[in-house]
Amino acid sequence: MANAGDAAPFRAVRVLGIAGSLRKGSYNKMLLHAATELAPPGMEITTFERLADVPLYNADLDVGEGPEPVRALRTALAGADALLIATPEYNYSIPGVLKNAIDWASRPPATSPLRGMPAAIMGASGGMSGTMRAQLALRQAFVFTQTYALQAPEVI
């Protein structure tokens, strides 16, 4: 039996939040901000604020560690225990900027920080169906990256 002094020190669960919108007044940025404020004890949510800086995926640029904004994204993901994505829905799918970030983060597949990472998905929209189709499209992309998207609760 271990002594209380032998227990490993407690470390909060580190969650990286990404809003799939670039708009300054984005509902999804607000949703992510609210999640950050409401995080339970033992959970730290930080947000990746440089999505607009990540260049369009180009295999010619994907050499070494890639461009600096891509390195920042990959480093932020690698330092997280889980992912929280707040995405709008554009044309029944996820915004191109979010898909682009996933494309960069998924390379190379064997060492991608997305591989094996749990992810929660939520979204805010003024539309009648919320972001359900965007969330479905995101779950589909996560099949390739082997990211474990939580199935419930649905926050649409």
Side-chain angles (χ1 to χ4, degrees):
M1 181 172 259
N3 296 331
D6 294 339
F10 174 78
R11 182 178 66 76
V13 174
R14 297 172 300 206
V15 177
L16 180 66
I18 298 177
S21 175
L22 300 180
R23 190 170 64 86
K24 195 173 205 170
S26 163
Y27 297 137
N28 289 282
K29 286 182 181 180
M30 288 186 238
L31 182 60
L32 199 55
H33 180 72
T36 301
E37 289 180 358
L38 297 170
M43 178 182 287
E44 297 171 357
I45 302 174
T46 58
T47 58
F48 184 76
E49 301 290 340
R50 298 189 53 199
L51 208 56
D53 298 336
V54 176
L56 292 175
Y57 183 78
N58 179 340
D60 292 339
L61 300 176
D62 196 5
V63 292
E65 294 181 7
E68 191 281 325
V70 172
R71 288 193 306 273
L73 173 63
R74 288 175 175 160
T75 298
L77 285 163
D81 300 312
L83 183 59
L84 175 60
I85 294 182
T87 185
E89 183 172 307
Y90 295 170
N91 300 320
Y92 287 12
S93 192
I94 59 175
V97 68
L98 180 57
K99 178 64 168 72
N100 182 59
I102 292 167
D103 290 344
W104 273 110
S106 70
R107 309 283 194 283
T111 59
S112 167
L114 292 172
R115 188 177 184 153
M117 181 174 283
I121 304 168
M122 60 183 178
S125 170
M128 191 175 198
S129 63
T131 60
M132 69 171 115
R133 284 170 275 199
Q135 291 186 36
L136 181 60
L138 186 53
R139 290 175 201 287
Q140 198 170 16
F142 282 160
V143 170
F144 175 80
T145 62
Q146 296 181 26
T147 304
Y148 302 125
L150 299 175
Q151 299 301 308
E154 289 186 301
V155 181
I156 57 172

